[in-house]
Amino acid sequence: MKYVEKAPHVDPVRMRHITDEALLAELGVTSIAEARPWRRPDPAWDGPATIEEADALIGAEVDFLDKGRGRSRLYGFHYLRWMTPLVHAYRETGDARYAAEWDRLFRQWYGTRDQVEGDWPGLDVIWYSLGVWARSMHVTRAMAELADEPALSDECWAMMMKTVLGGARWSAEEHDEFRHGNWQFVCAAELLHVATLFPELPEAPRWAEIGRARVLEHLELDVRADGGHHERSPGYHGMVLDAVHRVLALDPSFAEHPRVRAMHSWFASLVTSGGWIPHLQDSGVVWPAGALRRGAELGVRPEPGSHLLDASGYAIFRAGHLHTVINYGPYVGHELEPHSHHAALDFVLSGWGVPLAWEAGGPPSYDDPGYYDWYQATRGHNTILVPGEEYTEDRKAGLDLFHAGQHVDVFAGHHHGYSARHDRRIVFVRDEPSYWLVTDSIDADAVWQVHGLAPWKPHGSGYVTKNLLVVPLEAPDEVLHGNGPARIPDPATGTAEYGEIHSLGLRRADGRFTVALVPFTDDPPAVHLATVPPLASPQETSVPDHLRVAIGGIVDTVSASTWARADVREGWAADG
């Protein structure tokens, strides 16, 4: 590979001290000074790693060409993140066995890397943006931690050096102009990092110029005005924000860029009382405490209460322990496969630090057999399904109304993902007893769907799951049940392992639904919905003229533009 074999003609190169003339000739230099790569805190290495994980790698036989890992996982395997527990273990124990094992595995990888073949058309397993980015992060940290360890051979050190420099040369050539997406964003940030590590290289100034230019372009063009990354996924937002933090450690002046601050505020808007962010789009559950701390250090003050992330297409309701995210944003393309899901006007609800109404979220791997028909599919989300119709990507979702009030918050929106337009209004009553009142209309035989953390059981005129009661205004024509996997956040452990979520589907031939969702901690309350007075012609409007919601001894009246309880009343502009 030309990017590996092209050697730097410079004296000195920042490396450990090497006297082997054959290695010096291979690198194209006459001498190498003793020095170490960057040792500053690195967000990419903040994750947990255990001695047990490192011990499991000792003596392990690895087939680097094994396509049985899966079409996408083969690429991720060659990021080499799975080897990093060896470096963590060496840092913790000083045991030379871990350095020797890194040496063995890395030399094996280096010797076979050009033989690896992937199944994504036109995408090389080794020479593509995410692989180059990730390996550079992991290898430079290994160089820093293992620099003084004799168990790491000079031969392996030279291979690591060539891997990093070859990746930088490839990145500078590949990313000579801006394009959207997390791939280029993180790769450009790492190119700037490598240029800073090795300033003696004649290529370093050009690498720094390209890396800096691309990062600035991404802050301007790939980060939305509200701070959200272009792809609208919290997981990928966190990935590019980690890359920004690496850049900030190199050049603190980036902290003055308004989009850097906005990126931290975006996370703060989405975080729940449990300390996690929902797995929207192709995301995992995100635990953003570190990012939020760094945001606070930059002077970021998150917007309190209910508000819009309008550029990203998310509405946020927040009151006490209850948190709501409503998705009304676009389907976003990608240079390989989009991370957007086939759903709009879907919502996730949480309370007391745990999910109430949940969704499928992102998959464990993009090779997962359920990726397309569960995780990405409409049926994995809390929205309307039209049986027999395919959901279109160009859904043209839009916001019709947003009201953040003292007693109630209101969202209304629409989308064209089906042949008929779907309209949804969500009224969130902030005053206790709090609840959500969801009204939907679509000219189709449709299924109103929500997912809970436990199987649904009948309760009065509604249905109950863990900590959530769902009560429809009118009985459905059919009740449907299902289930599927999803990550379930656990605030006590700060983890989100895969569990099972359970779907409740209410089918109506007229496509008209009015449903109350009532959270509870102990026993579900008695809830009753009724129209007052009865509608003369239900077809005339998608929102009942006046709806009475009785929860225990509390009675609310909700119309198209008002909410009232006893002597308290709040209004909003009626949506169109």
Side-chain angles (χ1 to χ4, degrees), residues 311-325:
S312 297
Y314 290 116
I316 312 295
F317 295 160
R318 187 191 297 275
H321 52 75
L322 297 177
H323 187 267
T324 309
V325 183

Side-chain angles (χ1 to χ4, degrees), residues 20 150 186 214 226 233 245 280 319 333 335 366 472 489 491 530:
D20 187 291
V186 298
R214 294 295 88 80
D226 57 21
S233 164
H245 290 151
L280 310 168
E335 58 188 292
Y366 296 124

Side-chain angles (χ1 to χ4, degrees), residues 64-398:
F64 290 92
L65 309 181
D66 181 11
K67 284 192 174 185
R69 302 181 191 284
R71 183 172 67 162
S72 294
R73 279 182 169 171
L74 179 65
Y75 287 77
F77 179 75
H78 286 271
Y79 296 175
L80 303 186
R81 184 181 180 89
W82 58 272
M83 286 177 54
T84 61
L86 294 167
V87 182
H88 285 276
Y90 178 82
R91 181 175 59 187
E92 294 298 316
T93 67
D95 191 331
R97 291 184 307 141
Y98 299 118
E101 198 64 18
W102 173 280
D103 183 291
R104 180 182 72 86
L105 290 171
F106 191 87
R107 285 189 290 111
Q108 184 182 346
W109 171 80
Y110 192 86
T112 60
R113 73 202 187 288
D114 291 343
Q115 303 170 38
V116 183
E117 296 181 357
D119 290 330
W120 282 106
L123 188 67
D124 192 273
V125 175
I126 305 301
W127 299 106
Y128 95 110
S129 299
L130 292 188
V132 168
W133 154 72
R135 279 192 303 276
S136 180
M137 287 197 304
H138 303 324
V139 172
T140 54
R141 175 52 69 96
M143 291 170 71
E145 297 294 344
L146 306 177
D148 297 330
E149 175 51 58
L152 187 80
S153 67
D154 286 350
E155 179 185 12
C156 182
W157 185 275
M159 292 175 179
M160 294 162 69
M161 186 72 175
K162 291 167 69 176
T163 297
V164 172
L165 300 188
R169 294 185 183 104
W170 182 91
S171 299
E173 183 176 308
E174 172 73 9
H175 298 297
D176 59 343
E177 61 182 10
F178 172 80
R179 60 177 181 263
H180 280 294
N182 64 79
W183 289 19
Q184 186 180 83
F185 201 153
V186 298
C187 198
E190 184 59 20
L191 179 62
L192 182 57
H193 171 219
V194 174
T196 305
L197 283 184
F198 304 108
E200 306 92 339
L201 295 175
E203 300 148 294
R206 177 59 178 160
W207 294 347
E209 178 186 359
I210 293 172
R212 184 181 181 86
R214 294 295 88 80
V215 169
L216 287 171
E217 286 171 338
H218 276 269
L219 289 173
E220 295 290 340
L221 304 174
D222 210 29
V223 175
R224 297 171 185 267
D226 57 21
H229 181 251
H230 174 70
E231 293 169 273
R232 307 180 60 247
S233 164
Y236 287 100
H237 180 96
M239 175 174 150
V240 299
L241 186 55
D242 278 349
V244 169
H245 290 151
R246 289 171 70 80
V247 171
L248 288 173
L250 302 170
D251 185 351
S253 69
F254 274 90
E256 301 305 315
H257 197 292
R259 294 289 169 85
V260 170
R261 297 170 182 270
M263 290 179 77
H264 293 86
S265 294
W266 195 83
F267 256 7
S269 292
L270 291 170
V271 70
T272 69
S273 59
W276 45 268
I277 291 174
H279 50 193
L280 310 168
Q281 314 306 326
D282 266 357
S283 178
V285 173
V286 176
W287 301 88
L292 295 180
R293 282 195 301 270
R294 287 186 283 268
E297 292 169 359
L298 297 175
V300 173
R301 297 292 180 266
E303 185 174 349
S306 302
H307 59 280
L308 292 176
L309 296 173
D310 195 42
S312 297
Y314 290 116
I316 312 295
F317 295 160
R318 187 191 297 275
H321 52 75
L322 297 177
H323 187 267
T324 309
V325 183
I326 306 165
N327 166 41
Y328 64 95
Y331 187 93
V332 180
H334 187 269
E335 58 188 292
L336 184 63
E337 280 203 312
H339 294 302
S340 289
H341 286 187
H342 297 281
L345 309 186
D346 52 310
F347 57 81
V348 289
L349 312 177
S350 65
W352 307 285
V354 297
L356 300 174
W358 205 221
E359 292 188 330
S365 162
Y366 296 124
D367 297 319
D368 192 286
Y371 178 49
Y372 296 108
D373 66 2
W374 168 249
Y375 294 101
Q376 270 203 350
T378 316
R379 73 184 186 97
H381 299 78
N382 300 322
T383 189
I384 293 291
L385 305 180
V386 178
E389 277 203 38
E390 292 293 329
Y391 190 93
T392 62
E393 294 178 359
D394 188 15
R395 57 203 183 202
K396 299 182 177 66

